[in-house]
Structure formats: structure tokens, C-alpha cells
Amino acid sequence: MKRIVPYLWFDGDAEEAAEFYVGLFPESRIDNVMRAPACNPSTEKGDVIAVDFTLKGQGFAGINGGPAFQFSEAVSFAIECDDQGEVDRYWAALTSGGGEESLCGWCKDRFGLSWQVAPRRLQELLKSNDREAAERVMQAMLKMNKIDIAVLEAAAESPSGKIN
């Protein structure tokens, strides 16, 4: 079976975005930069029209399609983090330089692309057989922007639901 490659529509900064993403994620690279062979309605001759890149083994393509379409939260990319250090690092990088924080571990990067930065521990706590603890974890997460594992674990362990 041939693979499925997500295409991301940028307004002239596909190469900059690809460079940012491959610098952020290990095991990532820019595979190809396609330049316009001639002037066209969207670009001048020699301008970048598409960038193929790989993030942790997943292929992506960025195209410089112009301002007609913008990213929305209808599509996001989830980053499964091993620990709080990874959460903090990805969150800081993605929200820097014009990125935006949102709720429940969601944020937008400076290019407008939505990300979910979540530790694996969150899923473990939400899947707990102790449904009351899972509910407390969910309630704690709903109040967060960036996910804080220690606060989630405290919520899971606190039968009163009060977190210090």
C-alpha cells in the first residue's frame, strides 16, 4: 500500500515551517525543496512552491499556496510525550514566536498549525479502573493550558478532589 502524506498549506513560509519542525523533532529531515521553474499566479521563478519533509518517520509536504486557506483546529497533530520535560520543551517551542496557548494541552504554532502536547501519563490516568480518580484527572486537565503531570497525579490520588 502506498503511504498517505499530509499536505499543509502555507502562505509563503512552507520552507521556514519545515525547517522549524525538523529542528524540533528528532529523527526528522527536509527531503526535498521544489522551486518554481517559471513565474506563476502564486510565486515568482525560483520561489519555493513545495517542501517535502519527514518528522519522526512520517512524511509531510508543505505547499506555498497563498493566503486563500488557513489552518484551523479541525486538524491537529498530537505529540505523545514521555515526561514533563518533553511536554515543557515542545510547549515552549510551539508557543514561542507568535504561537498561542489553548486549553487541555492544545496550542498553535506561529504558522497557525494546531498541536496537542500530551504526556502518555494523561492517557494512563484517564483509563484508570478507578473511574472517580479518572474523573478528577479529567476535571483537572480541563482547567489547564499546558498539561502538568504532577497536578494530574495529585488529582488522581486525592479522594476529596482537592489539590494542594
Side-chain angles (χ1 to χ4, degrees):
M1 181 168 98
K2 301 212 184 233
R3 63 188 186 135
I4 296 173
V5 177
Y7 269 70
L8 306 174
W9 182 290
F10 293 92
D11 184 12
D13 51 8
E15 186 174 27
E16 179 186 346
E19 289 171 351
F20 172 70
Y21 301 140
V22 301
L24 182 59
F25 298 102
E27 303 168 41
S28 301
R29 66 187 180 276
I30 292 180
D31 300 307
N32 186 49
V33 177
M34 185 187 316
R35 297 189 178 278
C39 291
N40 62 70
S42 299
T43 58
E44 297 294 318
K45 181 179 180 177
D47 287 351
V48 173
I49 56 175
V51 181
D52 296 321
F53 58 102
T54 300
L55 303 179
K56 296 193 64 89
Q58 170 66 52
F60 290 84
I63 59 172
N64 281 328
F69 300 107
Q70 303 294 313
F71 294 120
S72 81
E73 290 83 355
V75 174
S76 64
F77 294 101
I79 305 169
E80 292 180 347
C81 299
D82 290 327
D83 54 36
Q84 190 67 49
E86 275 193 339
V87 170
D88 294 346
R89 184 172 66 85
Y90 286 123
W91 189 266
L94 291 167
T95 59
S96 70
E100 300 174 15
E101 294 188 9
S102 190
L103 296 172
C104 306
W106 286 60
C107 64
K108 284 186 182 181
D109 65 30
R110 67 181 180 251
F111 305 101
L113 192 58
S114 292
W115 297 85
Q116 298 176 52
V117 182
R120 286 187 177 91
R121 185 69 176 131
L122 172 60
Q123 291 299 318
E124 293 168 4
L125 292 168
L126 291 174
K127 292 178 183 177
S128 170
N129 289 331
D130 181 343
R131 299 316 301 156
E132 290 179 4
E135 182 178 346
R136 291 190 303 271
V137 168
M138 175 68 81
Q139 292 304 316
M141 188 239 356
L142 291 172
K143 296 174 186 165
M144 296 179 183
N145 287 3
K146 179 179 73 173
I147 301 299
D148 185 323
I149 297 170
V151 171
L152 297 177
E153 288 176 337
E157 295 170 10
S158 175
S160 69
K162 293 185 179 178
I163 305 164
N164 296 331

